Amino acid sequence: MLAYIVRRLLLMIPTLFGIMVLNFFIIQAAPGGPVEQMIAKIEGRDISGTTRITGTGAEVTGGGQVQATGSDQQGSYRGRRGLDPRFIEQIRQMYGFDKPAYVRFLDMLRSYVVFDFGNSFFKGRPVVDLVLEKMPVSISIGLWTTLIAYLVSIPLGISKARHDGSRFDAISTTIISGASAIPSFLFAVLLVVLFAGGSYFHWFPLRGIVSENWWDLSWPDRIRDYFWHMTLPLLAMTIGGFAASTLLVKNSFLDQLGLLYVATARAKGLSQREVLYRHVFRNAMLIVIAGMPGAVISIFLGSSLLIETIFSLDGLGLLGYEAAIGRDYPIMFGTLYLLSLIGLLIGLISDLTYTLIDPRIDFEKREL
């Protein structure tokens, strides 16, 4: 098993390299990069704080700031005459675009090996600090949603398989199918209207995952406050999240129940419970476990943006969206690298979990 783990870890290197190469050159080819974004802000007079442009020129300082130069200190910019090419070159140098694309890519990889993701182009802060700041929100949403979905879907799917074709099976299928048809963001809006001060009740908060005075609370009160804030977002995320996994568990168990070894176990006098949990469970759960990494990643990335926006949760989904819109490459590539690495590690953990459920599986004999 150790040799298999080592091979999988080594295989992650070319996989990560391929992911980064593909996304780097696709994103580089897309119009509206950081240089164009800055020029558009200048020409559109969308200039904040330390960014001042005059009619005679400008210079770029550290941290993504643009400082005016020349004799005109009133902030008048003659945009119709175009920007000074020297000024544009300063912007290109500030963002590293004075180097060829392959040089920037290799520099990026060398930094990423030691988890140095640089500074955000437009936020002026290290990417690592931004990711760590937003990570608790995304981890809370992703892990709790996955846990709740599987805690519901596994026993429900087994019960549906045991009572296949019964009234319970028909009613539960109707309910979970209806739940899965409701988009999570629409259900989130409904929860806000009903329970977060929208029109009826104000039972739950609408901002953040903890209260502002969270650090002043005792530990029991901190736990209660955390789950008080997370109740509505988790309800919105899990309303349809367990439907597909429930049907997957049911169908997997039904497939196993029709095999010969189940009939043999029943002929030996084993009870239905013993057949299900001593023989069928470990075989039927393999396909469910195989889908866990994809479920975790999809919940972690795919559905969290709208939920974070509706409930004012400042997580990785919102950070990544803002970075994509603003072409903040360090945040885009830094989060892509981290999440790709997490996905690959989850896949490895999923394979190792196979052996815990069914020790007969031996990855040492497989060819990668």
Side-chain angles (χ1 to χ4, degrees):
M1 180 58 68
L2 180 59
Y4 173 76
I5 295 175
V6 172
R7 289 199 302 270
R8 283 293 299 271
L9 291 174
L10 293 176
L11 186 62
M12 290 180 188
I13 297 174
T15 304
L16 271 177
F17 180 80
I19 292 172
M20 298 306 296
V21 167
L22 183 63
N23 285 274
F24 181 86
F25 287 102
I26 288 177
I27 293 175
Q28 295 293 316
V35 175
E36 290 81 0
Q37 290 277 335
M38 178 60 73
I39 293 174
K41 287 184 178 181
I42 295 171
E43 292 179 339
R45 304 185 183 216
D46 181 16
I47 304 167
S48 61
T50 56
T51 304
R52 293 187 290 128
I53 307 299
T54 70
T56 57
E59 66 180 11
V60 181
T61 61
Q65 300 174 357
V66 182
Q67 179 68 41
T69 61
S71 58
D72 184 358
Q73 299 297 322
Q74 302 301 317
S76 61
Y77 166 61
R78 295 191 294 271
R80 292 186 179 87
R81 299 185 183 181
L83 292 173
D84 189 333
R86 292 175 297 178
F87 173 55
I88 296 178
E89 185 61 27
Q90 283 184 315
I91 297 178
R92 289 175 55 82
Q93 292 176 2
M94 179 178 69
Y95 294 134
F97 280 80
D98 56 325
K99 303 176 183 177
Y102 74 91
V103 174
R104 286 184 278 117
F105 178 73
L106 293 177
D107 289 342
M108 181 184 72
L109 288 186
R110 279 193 289 266
S111 300
Y112 283 15
V113 169
V114 294
F115 294 93
D116 178 11
F117 303 112
N119 293 332
S120 166
F121 283 161
F122 302 112
K123 295 181 181 293
R125 295 179 57 193
V127 173
V128 172
D129 291 349
L130 289 170
V131 171
L132 292 177
E133 181 181 295
K134 316 296 184 184
M135 188 71 79
V137 172
S138 296
I139 289 178
S140 295
I141 294 176
L143 292 185
W144 282 117
T145 300
T146 305
L147 179 62
I148 293 172
Y150 276 95
L151 286 177
V152 172
S153 63
I154 291 176
L156 181 58
I158 295 174
S159 297
K160 286 174 65 63
R162 292 180 60 186
H163 303 91
D164 183 41
S166 66
R167 179 177 297 181
F168 165 77
D169 183 35
I171 294 175
S172 60
T173 298
T174 302
I175 293 174
I176 64 174
S177 297
S180 64
I182 303 175
S184 59
F185 71 92
L186 286 182
F187 190 64
V189 172
L190 177 63
L191 291 176
V192 169
V193 172
L194 292 178
F195 304 115
S199 298
Y200 297 94
F201 307 103
H202 197 177
W203 293 346
F204 297 96
L206 192 57
R207 180 176 298 275
I209 60 172
V210 291
S211 300
E212 293 183 358
N213 64 334
W214 189 79
W215 291 104
D216 299 328
L217 302 176
S218 63
W219 272 110
D221 289 336
R222 288 182 184 180
I223 295 173
R224 283 192 294 268
D225 181 79
Y226 170 76
F227 284 106
W228 181 48
H229 282 76
M230 292 301 299
T231 297
L232 295 187
L234 291 180
L235 281 175
M237 289 290 291
T238 56
I239 181 62
F242 60 86
S245 53
T246 298
L247 296 178
L248 179 63
V249 172
K250 175 191 172 182
N251 293 331
S252 179
F253 270 77
L254 286 178
D255 289 341
Q256 294 295 320
L257 288 173
L259 296 181
L260 183 60
Y261 77 92
V262 175
T264 303
R266 286 172 174 166
K268 292 180 178 180
L270 296 180
S271 66
Q272 179 77 347
R273 184 178 183 84
E274 290 176 320
V275 170
L276 281 174
Y277 294 101
R278 287 180 55 184
H279 297 277
V280 175
F281 183 82
R282 65 181 183 183
N283 295 323
M285 287 301 295
L286 292 177
I287 190 172
V288 178
I289 293 174
M292 282 187 179
V296 173
I297 296 300
S298 63
I299 293 172
F300 200 75
L301 298 178
S303 304
S304 61
L305 172 60
L306 291 174
I307 299 300
E308 289 178 13
T309 302
I310 293 171
F311 292 102
S312 301
L313 301 174
D314 195 6
L316 287 178
L318 192 58
L319 177 68
Y321 173 76
E322 293 175 348
I325 295 298
R327 298 296 194 273
D328 200 333
Y329 287 173
I331 294 179
M332 292 174 65
F333 293 123
T335 53
L336 173 67
Y337 179 86
L338 283 175
L339 294 174
S340 298
L341 181 60
I342 291 172
L344 292 171
L345 291 174
I346 290 177
L348 174 59
I349 294 172
S350 175
D351 283 352
L352 297 179
T353 309
Y354 285 159
T355 62
L356 296 178
I357 294 180
D358 191 348
R360 295 173 300 175
I361 297 177
D362 187 2
F363 287 107
E364 292 288 351
K365 298 179 180 179
R366 291 178 53 196
E367 295 291 335
L368 288 175

